Amino acid sequence: MALLANLTLVFVAGFITALATGLGAIPFFLVEDISDRWYVALWGLASGIMLAASLFGLIFEGLAEGTAFEIAVGMGAGVLLVIAAHHVLDDVDIDPKEYAEADFKKLVLILGILTVHSFPEGVAVGVSFAELGLEGADGPMLFGVAVPVLAVFMTVAISIHNIPEGVAISIPLRSMGVSEWRMAWWAVFSSLPQPIGAVLAFAFVRLARDFLPYGFGFAAGAMIYLVATEFIPEALETGAPLPGGGHRELAGGLAAGVTLMVPLALI
C-alpha cells in the first residue's frame, strides 16, 4: 500500500511538470495575428530555447551523471531518431485533413521528437524521489511522508523549464492555424511521457541512474538536429521576402531564446 502511495505521488509530480508545458501556449491566447517578421523571430526564439536547453541543461546534467562518451552515444542515437522519423514520414501516405501535407508532417515530426525528449526529464524527476519513504529521509512532510528536498527542487525546476518549451511547440501550431486550446493540449501531450518516466525511474532507480546519461544525450542530440533541419530552415523560408532575408529577426530570436533559457537550465 505504501508503494502504491509513493508511485502515485511520483506520478502526480511528473504530471505537474507536463501540465506546465501547456502554459507556453498562453501568449497565443493574447495575440490574434502574427506577421512574418514575428514568425521568424519566434522560430529563432524556439531554436534558442532548444539549443540552450540541450547544451546547458541536458548535456550538463548528463555529464554530471556519466561520461562524455555516454553523452555522445546518446546524442548519436537521438540524431538517428530524427533521420529515421524523416524517412518514415516521407514514405507514409498521410491524410492531413485541414492541414497541408508538408506542414502536417512537420507537426508530427516536431511533436514526436519533443515527446521523446521529455522522457529523460521524467526520469530525472523519478530519480530525485529515490529516498521517498525511506527511513531517515529528510524533507517537507506530505500526507505523512517526508518528500526529499531534491524531488521538490527537481519538480519545480523542470516545470519552469517546460514553459518555454510549450512556447516552442505552439509556434509551428500557430503557423498552421491550430486553435489556442489545441495548442495547449498538444504542448501538454508532448510532455505526457514525463509522469510515465518518473514512475518507471522511481521503481527502477538504480537502473535508471545507469542509463540516465544516455537518455539526456539522446534528448539533446534529437533536439539539436531538429533545430538544424527544421526550425532554422523554416525561419529562413518564412523570412525570405523580408529585408535581409529575415536573418536579423532570426538572430534576435536566437539570442532571446538563449538569454531566456540559460538561467533556467542552470537552476
Short mmCIF file of all heavy atoms in Angstrom, two decimals, residues 56-89:
data_model
loop_
_atom_site.label_atom_id
_atom_site.label_comp_id
_atom_site.label_asym_id
_atom_site.label_seq_id
_atom_site.Cartn_x
_atom_site.Cartn_y
_atom_site.Cartn_z
N PHE A 56 23.11 23.53 -22.24
CA PHE A 56 23.36 23.92 -20.86
C PHE A 56 22.49 23.18 -19.86
O PHE A 56 22.72 23.29 -18.65
CB PHE A 56 23.15 25.43 -20.70
CG PHE A 56 24.00 26.25 -21.62
CD1 PHE A 56 23.43 26.98 -22.64
CD2 PHE A 56 25.37 26.27 -21.48
CE1 PHE A 56 24.21 27.74 -23.50
CE2 PHE A 56 26.17 27.01 -22.33
CZ PHE A 56 25.59 27.75 -23.35
N GLY A 57 21.50 22.46 -20.36
CA GLY A 57 20.63 21.71 -19.47
C GLY A 57 20.89 20.22 -19.57
O GLY A 57 21.50 19.60 -18.70
N LEU A 58 20.47 19.62 -20.68
CA LEU A 58 20.53 18.17 -20.82
C LEU A 58 21.96 17.65 -20.83
O LEU A 58 22.28 16.67 -20.14
CB LEU A 58 19.81 17.75 -22.11
CG LEU A 58 18.29 17.99 -22.10
CD1 LEU A 58 17.72 17.80 -23.50
CD2 LEU A 58 17.60 17.05 -21.12
N ILE A 59 22.85 18.28 -21.62
CA ILE A 59 24.22 17.78 -21.71
C ILE A 59 24.95 17.97 -20.39
O ILE A 59 25.65 17.06 -19.90
CB ILE A 59 24.97 18.47 -22.87
CG1 ILE A 59 24.36 18.02 -24.21
CG2 ILE A 59 26.46 18.14 -22.82
CD1 ILE A 59 24.98 18.67 -25.43
N PHE A 60 24.82 19.15 -19.78
CA PHE A 60 25.46 19.37 -18.48
C PHE A 60 24.94 18.39 -17.43
O PHE A 60 25.70 17.86 -16.63
CB PHE A 60 25.21 20.80 -18.01
CG PHE A 60 26.15 21.81 -18.61
CD1 PHE A 60 26.91 21.50 -19.73
CD2 PHE A 60 26.28 23.07 -18.06
CE1 PHE A 60 27.78 22.42 -20.29
CE2 PHE A 60 27.15 24.01 -18.60
CZ PHE A 60 27.90 23.67 -19.72
N GLU A 61 23.62 18.16 -17.45
CA GLU A 61 23.02 17.23 -16.50
C GLU A 61 23.55 15.82 -16.76
O GLU A 61 23.82 15.06 -15.82
CB GLU A 61 21.51 17.27 -16.63
CG GLU A 61 20.74 16.68 -15.47
CD GLU A 61 20.88 17.49 -14.20
OE1 GLU A 61 20.94 18.73 -14.28
OE2 GLU A 61 20.96 16.87 -13.13
N GLY A 62 23.67 15.48 -18.03
CA GLY A 62 24.20 14.16 -18.38
C GLY A 62 25.63 13.98 -17.94
O GLY A 62 26.03 12.91 -17.45
N LEU A 63 26.46 15.02 -18.10
CA LEU A 63 27.85 14.94 -17.70
C LEU A 63 27.99 14.80 -16.19
O LEU A 63 28.96 14.22 -15.69
CB LEU A 63 28.61 16.18 -18.18
CG LEU A 63 28.84 16.26 -19.70
CD1 LEU A 63 29.46 17.60 -20.07
CD2 LEU A 63 29.75 15.12 -20.15
N ALA A 64 27.02 15.33 -15.46
CA ALA A 64 27.04 15.19 -14.00
C ALA A 64 26.74 13.76 -13.58
O ALA A 64 27.10 13.33 -12.48
CB ALA A 64 26.02 16.14 -13.37
N GLU A 65 26.07 13.02 -14.47
CA GLU A 65 25.68 11.65 -14.15
C GLU A 65 26.58 10.61 -14.81
O GLU A 65 26.60 9.46 -14.39
CB GLU A 65 24.23 11.40 -14.60
CG GLU A 65 23.19 12.24 -13.89
CD GLU A 65 22.98 11.81 -12.46
OE1 GLU A 65 23.35 10.67 -12.11
OE2 GLU A 65 22.44 12.61 -11.67
N GLY A 66 27.28 10.97 -15.89
CA GLY A 66 28.07 9.99 -16.63
C GLY A 66 29.23 10.63 -17.36
O GLY A 66 29.67 11.73 -17.03
N THR A 67 29.71 9.95 -18.40
CA THR A 67 30.89 10.39 -19.15
C THR A 67 30.49 11.06 -20.46
O THR A 67 29.36 10.91 -20.94
CB THR A 67 31.79 9.20 -19.47
OG1 THR A 67 31.11 8.31 -20.37
CG2 THR A 67 32.14 8.44 -18.18
N ALA A 68 31.47 11.77 -21.05
CA ALA A 68 31.24 12.42 -22.34
C ALA A 68 30.94 11.38 -23.41
O ALA A 68 30.15 11.63 -24.33
CB ALA A 68 32.46 13.26 -22.73
N PHE A 69 31.57 10.21 -23.31
CA PHE A 69 31.32 9.15 -24.29
C PHE A 69 29.87 8.69 -24.24
O PHE A 69 29.23 8.50 -25.28
CB PHE A 69 32.26 7.96 -24.03
CG PHE A 69 31.99 6.78 -24.93
CD1 PHE A 69 32.42 6.80 -26.25
CD2 PHE A 69 31.30 5.67 -24.46
CE1 PHE A 69 32.16 5.71 -27.09
CE2 PHE A 69 31.06 4.59 -25.28
CZ PHE A 69 31.49 4.61 -26.60
N GLU A 70 29.35 8.52 -23.03
CA GLU A 70 27.95 8.09 -22.90
C GLU A 70 27.00 9.15 -23.47
O GLU A 70 26.01 8.81 -24.14
CB GLU A 70 27.63 7.84 -21.42
CG GLU A 70 28.35 6.62 -20.86
CD GLU A 70 28.21 6.52 -19.35
OE1 GLU A 70 28.04 7.56 -18.68
OE2 GLU A 70 28.28 5.38 -18.82
N ILE A 71 27.32 10.43 -23.23
CA ILE A 71 26.50 11.50 -23.79
C ILE A 71 26.56 11.47 -25.31
O ILE A 71 25.54 11.61 -25.99
CB ILE A 71 26.99 12.88 -23.28
CG1 ILE A 71 26.93 12.94 -21.76
CG2 ILE A 71 26.13 14.00 -23.89
CD1 ILE A 71 25.56 12.76 -21.18
N ALA A 72 27.79 11.27 -25.86
CA ALA A 72 27.96 11.25 -27.31
C ALA A 72 27.18 10.10 -27.95
O ALA A 72 26.56 10.26 -29.01
CB ALA A 72 29.44 11.15 -27.66
N VAL A 73 27.21 8.94 -27.30
CA VAL A 73 26.45 7.79 -27.81
C VAL A 73 24.96 8.11 -27.82
O VAL A 73 24.24 7.84 -28.80
CB VAL A 73 26.73 6.53 -26.96
CG1 VAL A 73 25.76 5.40 -27.35
CG2 VAL A 73 28.17 6.08 -27.15
N GLY A 74 24.48 8.71 -26.73
CA GLY A 74 23.07 9.08 -26.67
C GLY A 74 22.71 10.10 -27.72
O GLY A 74 21.66 10.00 -28.37
N MET A 75 23.58 11.10 -27.94
CA MET A 75 23.31 12.13 -28.95
C MET A 75 23.25 11.53 -30.34
O MET A 75 22.40 11.88 -31.16
CB MET A 75 24.38 13.22 -28.89
CG MET A 75 24.32 14.08 -27.64
SD MET A 75 25.55 15.40 -27.62
CE MET A 75 24.90 16.46 -28.93
N GLY A 76 24.17 10.60 -30.63
CA GLY A 76 24.15 9.93 -31.92
C GLY A 76 22.84 9.19 -32.15
O GLY A 76 22.26 9.23 -33.24
N ALA A 77 22.36 8.52 -31.10
CA ALA A 77 21.09 7.81 -31.22
C ALA A 77 19.93 8.78 -31.43
O ALA A 77 19.00 8.51 -32.18
CB ALA A 77 20.85 6.98 -29.95
N GLY A 78 20.01 9.97 -30.77
CA GLY A 78 18.96 10.97 -30.95
C GLY A 78 18.92 11.50 -32.37
O GLY A 78 17.84 11.70 -32.94
N VAL A 79 20.09 11.74 -32.96
CA VAL A 79 20.15 12.20 -34.35
C VAL A 79 19.58 11.14 -35.29
O VAL A 79 18.82 11.45 -36.22
CB VAL A 79 21.60 12.54 -34.74
CG1 VAL A 79 21.72 12.80 -36.25
CG2 VAL A 79 22.09 13.76 -33.96
N LEU A 80 19.93 9.88 -35.04
CA LEU A 80 19.41 8.80 -35.87
C LEU A 80 17.89 8.72 -35.78
O LEU A 80 17.22 8.40 -36.76
CB LEU A 80 20.03 7.46 -35.46
CG LEU A 80 21.51 7.28 -35.79
CD1 LEU A 80 22.03 5.95 -35.23
CD2 LEU A 80 21.73 7.34 -37.30
N LEU A 81 17.34 9.03 -34.60
CA LEU A 81 15.89 9.03 -34.45
C LEU A 81 15.24 10.05 -35.37
O LEU A 81 14.24 9.76 -36.05
CB LEU A 81 15.51 9.35 -33.01
CG LEU A 81 14.01 9.60 -32.76
CD1 LEU A 81 13.22 8.31 -32.90
CD2 LEU A 81 13.76 10.23 -31.41
N VAL A 82 15.80 11.26 -35.43
CA VAL A 82 15.24 12.30 -36.29
C VAL A 82 15.35 11.90 -37.75
O VAL A 82 14.41 12.07 -38.54
CB VAL A 82 15.95 13.65 -36.05
CG1 VAL A 82 15.33 14.73 -36.93
CG2 VAL A 82 15.84 14.05 -34.60
N ILE A 83 16.50 11.37 -38.14
CA ILE A 83 16.69 10.94 -39.54
C ILE A 83 15.69 9.85 -39.89
O ILE A 83 15.06 9.87 -40.95
CB ILE A 83 18.13 10.45 -39.75
CG1 ILE A 83 19.12 11.61 -39.58
CG2 ILE A 83 18.29 9.81 -41.13
CD1 ILE A 83 20.57 11.19 -39.62
N ALA A 84 15.53 8.87 -38.98
CA ALA A 84 14.57 7.79 -39.22
C ALA A 84 13.15 8.33 -39.30
O ALA A 84 12.35 7.91 -40.14
CB ALA A 84 14.67 6.74 -38.11
N ALA A 85 12.83 9.31 -38.44
CA ALA A 85 11.49 9.90 -38.46
C ALA A 85 11.24 10.60 -39.79
O ALA A 85 10.14 10.52 -40.35
CB ALA A 85 11.34 10.88 -37.31
N HIS A 86 12.25 11.27 -40.32
CA HIS A 86 12.13 11.92 -41.63
C HIS A 86 11.77 10.89 -42.69
O HIS A 86 10.86 11.09 -43.50
CB HIS A 86 13.44 12.61 -42.01
CG HIS A 86 13.53 14.02 -41.55
ND1 HIS A 86 12.73 15.02 -42.05
CD2 HIS A 86 14.34 14.63 -40.64
CE1 HIS A 86 13.04 16.17 -41.48
NE2 HIS A 86 14.01 15.96 -40.60
N HIS A 87 12.52 9.78 -42.70
CA HIS A 87 12.30 8.76 -43.72
C HIS A 87 10.91 8.13 -43.58
O HIS A 87 10.22 7.88 -44.58
CB HIS A 87 13.37 7.68 -43.63
CG HIS A 87 14.70 8.11 -44.18
ND1 HIS A 87 14.89 8.43 -45.51
CD2 HIS A 87 15.90 8.28 -43.59
CE1 HIS A 87 16.15 8.77 -45.72
NE2 HIS A 87 16.79 8.70 -44.57
N VAL A 88 10.52 7.85 -42.35
CA VAL A 88 9.19 7.24 -42.13
C VAL A 88 8.09 8.18 -42.62
O VAL A 88 7.16 7.76 -43.33
CB VAL A 88 8.99 6.92 -40.64
CG1 VAL A 88 7.54 6.54 -40.36
CG2 VAL A 88 9.91 5.79 -40.22
N LEU A 89 8.19 9.46 -42.28
CA LEU A 89 7.15 10.41 -42.67
C LEU A 89 7.14 10.65 -44.17
O LEU A 89 6.10 10.95 -44.75
CB LEU A 89 7.36 11.74 -41.93
CG LEU A 89 7.08 11.68 -40.42
CD1 LEU A 89 7.43 13.01 -39.77
CD2 LEU A 89 5.63 11.33 -40.15
#
